[in-house]
Amino acid sequence: MVPEPPAAPADAARDRSPAPGSARVLVASNRGPVSYTLRDDGTLDAKRGGGGVVSGLSAIGARDDALWVCCALGDGDREAVRRGIGRGEDGVLMLDIDPDVHSDAYNGIANSVLWFVHHLLYQTPLEPVFDDAFRRQWRSYETYNRAFARALADRAADGAAVLVQDYHLALVPGMLRELRPDLRIGHFSHTPWAPPDYFRLLPDDIAEQLLRGLLGADRTCFLTRRWADAFTACCTEVLGPDALKGTRIGVHGLGADAGFLRERAHRPDVGERMTALREQIGGADRKTIVRVDRTELSKNIVRGLLAYRHLLATRPEWREQVVHVAFAYPSRQDLAVYRDYTAEVQRLADAINDEYGTAGWTPVVLHVKDDFARSLAAYRLADVALVNPIRDGMNLVAKEIPVVSDAGCALVLSREAGAYEELGADALVVNPYDVIATASALHEALTLPPQVRADRTARLAAAATALPPQRWFLDQLEALAPEA
């Protein structure tokens, strides 16, 4: 818990980050490494973020000339900034951007337009509709990106390296280049990139603006060669054959943090969750099919459940012999389409349990409350990992489960996940739309001989950890060096 500090003038120095113009390495992202919650008694709780991306970007924390620029995302963050401690973490600068501007930029454009385009999620007979409301939100997206560009320009030392993260900040490289042509700028897209035909759903001027924004970087980087090639194809088609002059394309496949995961997965709280899950699974010999996702539309949880139902319907020998442990943690619940999707996941899980469940067997064990220790417990118990996204930039779950699985697990993997590029050779690969083929893959995974499964798991774990998070970040930083 962070104690409330004494009041300070609005223009007083409010952080211990580098003074303006002194940062040699800067990271920019919508969400930062720390968030604040305002308690009822008026004090603030600080919580560090988790995940592979945060772990990788946190490599800048070892430097005293580094700065992480992010947005104040909630009331707690904004209150922390007002009190002078919202930027109190070493090397972290929170931008207190108008909440309405952020909502338009984040929900209206980033998550409701750009995310849908790059994940090919639109139902095109009805959507998208680029009308006056869209144009108003786009202006907010520009304002949001401009705030980041100005903050980075103000804080960067001469010739500093700036690494901008993801689709929320696609315009920043171009804006920053205009303000500070001396800087070395990289941009990393953590999502897929749409092929040209789908990307051109966007209004022509917006498509061009997005591409030119990213081409303001010295290096524009992606998780897989497939997404990088799609970007270059869009640039060529929309901007012309010479569009990429001056911008290098990089590919850096973010890996799992093996040391952290293995240590964390054997702490006492994970052991407690394993005991509780075993009780829910019931039967010492029952096999488990595990999935851990947020209820993002791209994760394809509903079709995964349909495939499991088909397995039970067509392979009755698996009834009472297998349990689908499904963690579907609610995501973006301020958007109606995500709330509806989360409700459909719950409805379908209940329907499967009603149809096939018995007094001693619950076919689907569904949890919707985020619990990292419980996720790690499920990883350790997994006989089969189901990762079947419609489309995914990488998918770290596919990499994490083989790293910590106790007895080895078979991986059923969508060919549309970025992780397929690295893990496909040792996974059971599926078309994410084909429920029947996915059910067949689940059956094959459940029946793999133990030694085959163990050998595959070892190779999957090696591939999954080839570029751990901090090395992933440092590789990008080194590639921006003047001599690179």
Side-chain angles (χ1 to χ4, degrees), residues 56-279:
L57 298 178
S58 292
I60 68 171
R63 305 176 58 116
D64 59 9
D65 61 351
L67 180 67
W68 190 326
V69 180
C70 57
C71 186
L73 294 181
D75 292 340
D77 288 353
R78 286 186 284 272
E79 179 62 20
V81 173
R82 283 191 288 270
R83 295 182 185 184
I85 59 171
R87 290 170 283 177
E89 292 286 332
D90 284 346
V92 177
L93 171 65
M94 278 188 175
L95 304 181
D96 189 1
I97 296 171
D98 181 274
D100 291 336
V101 170
H102 181 265
S103 179
D104 279 351
Y106 182 76
N107 289 325
I109 298 298
N111 289 340
S112 295
V113 176
L114 302 184
W115 178 272
F116 274 66
V117 167
H118 290 314
H119 290 83
L120 315 186
L121 288 175
Y122 277 124
Q123 299 180 60
T124 53
L126 299 173
E127 55 187 12
V129 176
F130 297 123
D131 54 11
D132 289 342
F134 164 78
R135 290 290 175 170
R136 175 185 58 78
Q137 292 175 329
W138 182 257
R139 289 191 292 273
S140 291
Y141 183 78
E142 292 174 318
T143 299
Y144 179 71
N145 276 250
R146 193 172 295 112
F148 272 84
R150 287 172 174 164
L152 293 164
D154 288 346
R155 292 300 189 103
D158 290 344
V162 182
L163 289 98
V164 182
Q165 305 299 308
D166 228 354
Y167 59 103
H168 315 93
L169 302 176
L171 303 181
V172 167
M175 292 175 170
L176 184 56
R177 177 67 63 205
E178 292 183 1
L179 294 170
R180 292 288 304 274
D182 61 298
L183 299 179
R184 293 173 290 120
I185 304 170
H187 185 279
F188 198 96
S189 292
H190 295 271
T191 65
W193 191 272
D197 286 350
Y198 209 90
F199 184 73
R200 299 206 75 167
L201 287 176
L202 291 166
D204 291 350
D205 61 317
I206 300 299
E208 181 174 341
Q209 190 177 352
L210 283 165
L211 295 175
R212 292 197 186 282
L214 293 175
L215 292 174
D218 295 282
R219 295 184 81 242
T220 300
C221 303
F222 301 86
L223 287 162
T224 73
R225 175 54 54 187
R226 180 183 179 187
W227 311 142
D229 289 346
F231 173 75
T232 60
C234 287
C235 290
T236 300
E237 182 164 322
V238 174
L239 302 178
D242 297 329
L244 289 165
K245 285 185 176 179
T247 301
R248 291 172 288 156
I249 304 300
V251 175
H252 303 272
L254 177 63
D257 188 341
F260 165 75
L261 287 169
R262 287 170 177 149
E263 184 278 326
R264 182 67 183 86
H266 288 83
R267 292 184 192 174
D269 60 339
V270 176
E272 294 168 4
R273 306 302 197 280
M274 288 180 71
T275 299
L277 281 174
R278 286 193 182 102
E279 291 177 358

Side-chain angles (χ1 to χ4, degrees), residues 30-47:
N30 175 69
R31 185 179 301 276
V34 64
S35 62
Y36 293 91
T37 302
L38 184 63
R39 297 171 62 90
D40 291 340
D41 64 1
T43 57
L44 289 164
D45 275 338
K47 181 180 179 182

